[in-house]
Amino acid sequence: MLLQDFYKVEQIDKTGEGKYIVTVFLNNDHAIFKGHFPDNPVTPGVCMMQIIKELTQDIIGRSLQLVSASNVKFMALINPDTNPTLRLELEISGEDEIKVKNTTYFKDTVALKLTNTYKSTE
């Protein structure tokens, strides 16, 4: 895990073929938030993209490398003090090239939507 102690996976539910709902809890005491930003923490977009990659790796059991990201839309700031629990809806498809469609929520608010394409590094 690249983001040591940044988040904790609370639950992974398979809801259909290649479809998952993952609940994660952000560690608001993590050093990243002291620099991004003091007294007003915001979860960096690149960290959200890393969480999605790590969750996908855990689900499919392979190491991955990002090939492309498309339709990336950050729709709301994720403040770990006020909204530490996130729900990530993942739709994973493909064998050689892994495509992941994601929508991330805190409560009922959509925070992030994206489609990433990965290749296996194994």
Side-chain angles (χ1 to χ4, degrees), residues 35-88:
H36 202 268
F37 297 96
D39 301 322
N40 189 24
V42 175
T43 305
V46 69
C47 292
M48 288 305 305
M49 292 180 74
Q50 183 66 26
I51 290 171
I52 292 163
K53 177 186 167 194
E54 291 178 3
L55 293 174
T56 303
Q57 289 178 143
D58 289 347
I59 289 168
I60 69 169
R62 294 190 303 194
S63 294
L64 299 172
Q65 179 179 0
L66 181 66
V67 173
S68 67
S70 60
N71 300 319
V72 180
K73 297 177 183 161
F74 294 98
M75 305 179 70
L77 296 175
I78 302 171
N79 180 326
D81 288 340
T82 56
N83 296 297
T85 302
L86 304 177
R87 183 177 85 247
L88 292 90

Side-chain angles (χ1 to χ4, degrees), residues 25-41:
F25 185 80
L26 298 175
N27 175 6
N28 65 344
D29 290 326
H30 195 276
I32 285 175
F33 295 118
K34 292 176 183 19
H36 202 268
F37 297 96
D39 301 322
N40 189 24

Side-chain angles (χ1 to χ4, degrees), residues 3-4 10-11 19 21 24 31 39 44 51 55 63 73 77 94 100-101 103-104 106 119 122:
L3 299 170
Q4 241 8 48
E10 298 278 309
Q11 188 170 337
K19 295 183 179 184
I21 295 177
V24 300
D39 301 322
I51 290 171
L55 293 174
S63 294
K73 297 177 183 161
L77 296 175
V100 179
K101 292 181 182 179
T103 304
T104 299
F106 56 85
K119 69 177 181 179
E122 298 176 350

